[in-house]
Amino acid sequence: MTIFIIQNILLVLLVIFALAAIHTHSLRHAVIYLGVYSLASSLVYLLYGAADVAIAEAVIGCTLSTILFLVALKKYQVFILYYKIDDPSSEAQFLRRKLKQLIRRFAYEVLDFQIDTTTTKMPLAAIINDHDFDIIIHHTPTEIICYGIKDNYHFPDLKEYLEKNFSEPIRFLELEERSQDVFED
Amino acid sequence: MNQPSKIVTNTLNLIYPVILVFGIYVIINGHITPGGGFQGGAVLAGVFIIRYFTDSSLPFSLERLNQIEKFLYLLLLTTGILYSLIFLGNFPVAVKTFYLSLMNFLIGVKVFCGLTIIFFRFILFEAK
C-alpha cells in the first residue's frame, strides 16, 4: 500500500517537473528540472522492478546529460556585440550608452546570457568577415543600423525589444551566416 | 573556470572512492544482480566527469584512451565470435559465468573510455 502511494506521488512529481521544465524562462532552470525529472523516473523504474533500467536512467539522465547540458549552456551563453561609432558628438555618445544599457538588459533579463561588448573603429566588412558576432551596431551620423545574423533566433526578439523600448528609429538588417566549415586548430 | 568552493571539493574528495567502488561492483556482479557493463561503465565515467568540477586538468591522455577503446571493441567482437564458434551454443554453466563476467568487464571499460572521451572532447575542444 505504501509503495502504491509513493509510486503515485512520484508519478505526479514527474508531471510537475516536466511542466516546470517546459514553462520556465531560464534555460538553466529547465536543465535542473530535467535532472530531477530523471531522478524521479528512475525511482519509478525501481518501484516497477526494473532495477537495471533504473541504474542506467539515474547515471545517464541525472548525471551525464545534466552536466553536458550545463557545460553546453556555459559555452553558448555569451552574446557578442560589436559597437561601431562614427559620430563623435556628445549626443551620439549619450545614445550609445543608452542603447548599450538596453541591450545589456535584454541579454540579462530575456536571454539570461552574459554580454561581451566591443567598441571598435574597424571597417564593417572586416567585422562581418573575420569576427564572431551576434549583433553589430553601426552608428553613423545620420542613422543607427543594427546587423544581425539571419538564423540567430534571438535577433527577432531583440528587434521587438528595441522597437518597444528605444526612442530613436533603428534600421535592422539581416545578414546571411557565413559557412562554418573552417576548422580551427 | 572559476575556483570551486571548498565544500564541493571536500565532499567530492570523500565521495570519489565510494562511486568508484560502486561502479566496479556493478560491473563485477553484472551477471547476477541488476546492472552490468554499460551501467557500471557509465558510473565510472561519472567519477571523472564530476572530478572535472574540482580540478579541470586532464587526468590522462585522450589519445591513449581512444586507442584502448578501439582495442577493446576488437577484443569484444573476437571474444563473442570465438565463444559461439567453440561451444556452438551449448554453454556449460561455469563457462557461462566466466563468459558473462568477461563480457561485462570489457563492455564496462569500453563504455567508460567512450563516455570520458565524449565528455572531455566536448568540454575542451568544441568551442563556438
Side-chain angles (χ1 to χ4, degrees), chain B residues 56-75:
Chain B
S56 54
S57 67
L58 203 62
F60 24 63
S61 126
L62 283 187
E63 198 61 38
R64 182 160 303 155
L65 221 55
N66 209 345
Q67 285 166 1
I68 293 174
E69 198 204 355
K70 280 175 190 160
F71 177 67
L72 281 175
Y73 182 59
L74 208 67
L75 216 60

Side-chain angles (χ1 to χ4, degrees), chain A residues 152-183:
Chain A
N152 189 334
Y153 57 96
H154 302 309
F155 190 55
D157 294 345
L158 180 72
K159 191 174 168 182
E160 198 180 307
Y161 188 84
L162 285 182
E163 274 169 355
K164 208 163 57 183
N165 294 306
F166 194 58
S167 49
E168 303 293 315
I170 302 177
R171 199 147 65 85
F172 290 93
L173 285 177
E174 288 187 341
L175 301 169
E176 296 286 339
E177 191 170 14
R178 64 175 189 276
S179 69
Q180 300 254 325
D181 308 329
V182 189
F183 286 106

Side-chain angles (χ1 to χ4, degrees), chain A residues 51-52 59-60 64 67-68 75, chain B residues 35 38-39 42-43 49 122-123:
Chain A
D52 220 356
V59 173
I60 292 164
L64 294 181
I67 291 178
L68 275 185
K75 275 183 185 289
Chain B
F38 180 76
Q39 285 88 342
V43 171
I49 290 171
F122 184 68
I123 283 194

Side-chain angles (χ1 to χ4, degrees), chain A residues 8 42 53 55 75 85 96 118 124 129 143 154 163 169 179:
Chain A
N8 280 343
S42 98
V53 189
I55 295 177
K75 275 183 185 289
I85 187 157
R96 175 185 70 110
T118 315
L124 197 64
N129 288 324
E143 61 178 347
H154 302 309
E163 274 169 355
S179 69

Side-chain angles (χ1 to χ4, degrees), chain A residues 102-119:
Chain A
L102 261 182
I103 292 176
R104 176 166 298 142
R105 194 175 300 155
F106 170 79
Y108 277 141
E109 287 175 6
V110 184
L111 301 181
D112 193 17
F113 276 21
Q114 302 284 332
I115 192 157
D116 175 19
T117 321
T118 315
T119 309

Side-chain angles (χ1 to χ4, degrees), chain B residues 94-116:
Chain B
V95 174
K96 248 185 213 167
T97 311
F98 178 70
Y99 175 67
L100 284 178
S101 306
L102 182 67
M103 281 308 238
N104 269 335
F105 174 73
L106 289 179
I107 292 173
V109 181
K110 189 187 170 328
V111 168
F112 160 70
C113 292
L115 284 179
T116 315

